[in-house]
Amino acid sequence: MFALKGISRLIFGSNNQESMIDLPQGQLYLVRPFSPKGYSELLFKDASARIRRTAQEFQYQLVVQRVYEEGEAELLAEEEGDDTEADADILAAERDEKTFLLDEALHFRVENREGSERVLCWRDLSGDAGDVFEFVCDGGISPAQVKQFELIAKQCQYERKYRKPHATASKEDLLQFEFDEQPIPPASPIHSPVLTRSIESSEMFSPKASAKSGPKRDVISDLDATPTKKSPPTPIKTPATKGKERDMGPPAVATHPEPREMLAAEVAELHFFDFPSGAFVQQDASVTATVTEIGNWKYWLQVGSADRDWLGIPVTADINPVFNFEFLSFIFNQFAEDGSAYSWLLRFKDHATLERFQEGLMQALWEQLNEIKWSKIKDKDRDYVTDAFNDLTMEDAEQEEEEEEHYEDAEEGSEDEDDRPQSEHYDSDEEEDDVEYKPKDGDTNKQIAVGYKHDRSFVVRGSKIGVFKHTPNNNLEFSTNISKVETTDGKLFSPKKVMLHNEDRNLILQKDDDPNKLYRMDLEYGKVVDEWNVHEDIPVVTFAPENKFAQMTHEPTFLGISRNALYRIDPRLSGTKLVDAQLKQYVSKNDFSAISTTEKGHIAVASNKGDIRLFDRLGINAKTHIPALGEPIIGLDVSADGRWVLGTCRTYLLLIDAQQKSGKNEGKLGFEKPFAADQKPQPRRLALTPEHVAQFAYETGKGVNFTPAKFNTGEGVEESSIITATGPYIIEWNLKKVLTGKKSPYLIKRYSDDVKADDFKFGTDKNVIVALPHEVNMVNHTRLKRPTRESIAGDFGGRRGSRFGSPMKSPSKLSRSAIVEEAF
């Protein structure tokens, strides 16, 4: 829904300003065909055009007014921080509306282009020769509406010129207001040397096919120093991740392997993301992008022109492909051997060209990940995979009411605690004054188990487990240390996997080199008291509670998976603990990798193949099978009510709506009833934008590698956020913003070290518990920021080193009163 910000009263204080006709949707451009300032500038991405009366007789105005998404205008006003209401109104008038006196000097004209595109054009009388404004009508505007708008514009010009009603004018009289000039210059960004997609802007591409509404335009903007076509972007230096600075212009081209089969070859325009300007800078107006098979399930993306060989890279998940049909673009990353990352954009001439290229690229990516020929899978499955790389909106997006903007950056009040991670080693005899912290054991933190029944978190570090209390003011306070994790026969081990159990009184542990056994630690005594042999022939890949909140109860059983089996584990059984009657074993190797349960005990199981199965109970076939997109699923979570399934892959997350929208099972979950064959639930990829991926790598020298993502959870608490991490960044997705199709719907916070594990505090989405290699911390939601160049670079409270060097670590001496934390 859109809301017009009414400000015309600021310009003409009369009730006579009656709108005579309007075109409700389009985009306004300023086009400068001969100007060194830059070819095309998008003034209003969403706008309406109308003709209105003024207070003076025979005087009319052409008015183009910005159209806001609901709530956007108020947010923009807040960000501008106007001191007075009057100042705000004046600024709004200048920002939101363009008015032009309808005079023949404008040379107002209309052009119908190929397809259904219709453009209104008029001279910029205050600009340079040849400068024009263009209003590009949306595809939903009918030809009759545009024709009527043009007629009324002629009549208004007639009345102004002759100062009499247009009813006296003949058709021939109006012909003088038809201006036969050169064709209207195209306003499309395809013709512009600079494509701005600011890393600081929330208005980034939304990969959503928009064939119905016709092509829209992206932001084209003048920069302080606009590069000319084919000019290289400004060289910049990256952090010295390899001990030396390096240039961040386009990298040298690799030697191209010999192609065996051509999968796609299309002509496009090439842009390179320039970090200093935050813009995609045009490198070449015409290149050929090819995707080829080079043998042994390997594929190659090559871009070049007659003048230059631009790039060649292997097609893997690391390229982070994003297809945007709204802007006819394909955006992707390139990683160099030294760890540096670059972001490129290919813009194609039309939907058909982009679709052909997408088909070839997706075939290459699918075959590389699965080692299965694209032609072997069904058409509907190919469409399913392809669609997941396009559309980030949900079917019921418009039904979601926009939540209170808690997602915006919150002001940091004076009562905020310093949430920078700090540390203390485990030593009950340490002095009361400052303590020296330096790890002596060579271990690092690697797992967190967050208590549901009691306000405790358990952090695994080597063969030790730290216990932390959640304080009333949302900090962590060290409680105790379980210094030795040993088997019942005294063998020290480092737990591979841990899970709280039996009202948070027990911790279930798995030993890395003995997958057929599990161990029960009694947390009251801090020692392993039971060793369970699950099955002689069926190992445990991972395990999960019997239902979402089972750890808050005395429920003794829990679930486990092997690579090809799903089963219940009952510690009360004598001998092996696997319940044979509740075993579902597959003949084929499904390579199961993750499991999660709902509040009712419905079960989701994912695999390294990338597919997900939904069960209503153990021992039977899955009710729903969700096909793989390609990457292995390394983590799985489910909302308590079973509506949302969240899978984690290395470079993206999958969010799946398990509720059926039509048919005889409408309203039912995929756990309860199977989806119709042609109505599989459609996963949505939640991925960082390619620019952010490149900026992360620019800062850290690393690609994306997500930790298992989790919903916030709690009894009676609706899931609203998703937390994960990659490298030194924690990333929080706002679920409602994802569902309503918001662009870049995530916040970030950077730490000085890599995040090893993270999870929400139970019962809230406002606090996240984070484990760094040697530190543990509870961070408030308000500390997370929008992904800008500044927040990606990181703010370490003045303790961070130069942008071009490695960030400084936390100080080695910490006041005992300031310590939150860990203490190993």
Side-chain angles (χ1 to χ4, degrees), residues 205-449:
F205 280 119
S206 173
K208 179 178 180 181
S210 184
K212 293 182 180 179
S213 61
K216 291 188 178 180
R217 303 305 196 271
D218 194 13
V219 180
I220 301 295
S221 176
D222 299 328
L223 302 176
D224 291 337
T226 303
T228 58
K229 289 190 178 182
K230 296 189 181 180
S231 64
T234 307
I236 59 176
K237 303 295 181 181
T238 67
T241 55
K242 296 282 184 177
K244 61 181 180 180
E245 294 180 340
R246 58 187 190 271
D247 189 36
M248 277 296 287
V253 178
T255 303
H256 301 299
E258 187 69 25
R260 294 188 178 182
E261 180 184 354
M262 183 74 69
L263 304 183
E266 301 293 344
V267 175
E269 184 180 274
L270 180 67
H271 295 262
F272 179 81
F273 187 74
D274 180 54
F275 287 110
S277 64
F280 276 106
V281 182
Q282 186 189 93
Q283 302 298 294
D284 202 315
S286 181
V287 297
T288 299
T290 62
V291 180
T292 57
E293 180 186 356
I294 57 177
N296 298 320
W297 303 109
K298 295 180 181 179
Y299 302 83
W300 194 256
L301 170 62
Q302 183 174 342
V303 179
S305 65
D307 300 328
R308 177 169 175 175
D309 190 12
W310 282 101
L311 68 101
I313 57 174
V315 178
T316 67
D318 285 318
I319 69 174
N320 299 294
V322 174
F323 291 93
N324 186 280
F325 279 82
E326 188 174 2
F327 302 112
L328 303 177
S329 299
F330 169 57
I331 311 161
F332 62 99
N333 288 120
Q334 174 185 11
F335 285 86
E337 291 183 0
D338 63 359
S340 56
Y342 310 88
S343 191
W344 297 90
L345 181 149
L346 289 167
R347 184 181 292 277
F348 298 86
K349 65 178 182 178
D350 53 34
H351 281 247
T353 306
L354 179 54
E355 285 173 355
R356 290 194 302 270
F357 182 81
Q358 182 190 43
E359 175 77 11
L361 194 283
M362 292 310 302
Q363 176 181 344
L365 187 61
W366 169 264
E367 293 183 2
Q368 187 272 326
L369 289 168
N370 295 278
E371 297 189 358
I372 299 173
K373 280 295 183 181
W374 186 246
S375 58
K376 297 289 186 182
I377 64 174
K378 299 176 182 178
D379 289 345
K380 63 181 181 181
D381 289 340
R382 287 200 292 268
D383 293 340
Y384 164 92
V385 172
T386 302
D387 289 346
F389 284 81
N390 292 338
D391 189 8
L392 296 182
T393 63
M394 297 293 184
E395 290 182 9
D396 58 353
E398 293 188 4
Q399 299 174 13
E400 298 283 348
E401 290 188 14
E402 196 62 46
E403 66 179 351
E404 183 179 353
E405 290 294 325
H406 86 283
Y407 188 69
E408 306 301 334
D409 294 352
E411 294 182 1
E412 297 180 10
S414 58
E415 297 182 6
D416 284 350
E417 296 290 333
D418 182 0
D419 73 332
R420 290 174 295 195
Q422 301 167 335
S423 305
E424 178 183 12
H425 63 283
Y426 253 359
D427 185 353
S428 58
D429 299 324
E430 64 199 8
E431 298 296 328
E432 288 296 321
D433 57 356
D434 289 358
V435 294
E436 192 83 17
Y437 172 68
K438 188 174 182 179
K440 300 176 181 178
D441 53 17
D443 291 323
T444 60
N445 301 330
K446 63 179 183 179
Q447 293 183 63
I448 295 176

Side-chain angles (χ1 to χ4, degrees), residues 54 82 173 208 249 313 333 356 427 429 502 524 568 603 667 693 803 807:
T54 71
D82 302 311
D173 290 334
K208 179 178 180 181
I313 57 174
N333 288 120
R356 290 194 302 270
D427 185 353
D429 299 324
N502 188 24
E524 183 177 349
R568 184 179 301 278
I603 308 158
V693 171
R803 172 182 168 86

Side-chain angles (χ1 to χ4, degrees), residues 626-818:
I626 302 171
L629 292 185
E631 280 200 55
I633 294 178
I634 60 174
L636 192 65
D637 197 10
V638 184
S639 62
D641 64 2
R643 171 76 185 271
W644 304 105
V645 179
L646 179 66
T648 305
C649 299
R650 183 172 59 87
T651 60
Y652 58 83
L653 311 182
L654 291 174
L655 182 64
I656 302 160
D657 187 350
Q659 187 178 71
Q660 303 190 44
K661 302 297 189 299
S662 61
K664 64 179 182 179
N665 295 324
E666 182 177 357
K668 295 288 186 180
L669 298 174
F671 294 96
E672 303 166 317
K673 296 290 183 179
F675 279 79
D678 59 346
Q679 294 180 351
K680 294 286 186 183
Q682 181 65 55
R684 304 304 185 204
R685 292 173 69 253
L686 305 186
L688 304 177
T689 67
E691 301 95 308
H692 292 163
V693 171
Q695 186 79 351
F696 280 21
Y698 162 65
E699 290 289 336
T700 67
K702 301 174 184 177
V704 174
N705 191 0
F706 285 128
T707 59
K710 301 177 181 70
F711 292 115
N712 66 295
T713 191
E715 286 190 307
V717 174
E718 182 180 358
E719 289 81 4
S720 57
S721 300
I722 296 167
I723 195 71
T724 184
T726 177
Y729 301 96
I730 56 172
I731 300 157
E732 179 186 332
W733 266 271
N734 179 286
L735 190 55
K736 280 196 174 180
K737 288 187 177 289
V738 170
L739 302 185
T740 52
K742 298 296 182 181
K743 303 174 180 68
S744 301
Y746 51 84
L747 301 176
I748 70 167
K749 178 175 173 60
R750 180 178 178 177
Y751 286 94
S752 57
D753 280 310
D754 286 352
V755 177
K756 296 297 184 180
D758 52 278
D759 200 352
F760 287 105
K761 178 183 175 182
F762 184 72
T764 182
D765 67 348
K766 298 297 190 294
N767 300 98
V768 179
I769 300 166
V770 180
L772 305 180
H774 307 297
E775 301 158 351
V776 182
N777 172 241
M778 185 182 292
V779 60
N780 189 280
H781 164 89
T782 60
R783 297 287 182 172
L784 277 68
K785 305 297 180 185
R786 292 171 178 165
T788 65
R789 278 175 293 225
E790 289 72 23
S791 63
I792 291 173
D795 179 6
F796 300 100
R799 298 187 296 188
R800 189 171 68 87
S802 165
R803 172 182 168 86
F804 299 106
S806 297
M808 296 171 62
K809 308 298 183 191
S810 302
S812 60
K813 299 192 74 177
L814 299 168
S815 168
R816 171 179 281 278
S817 63

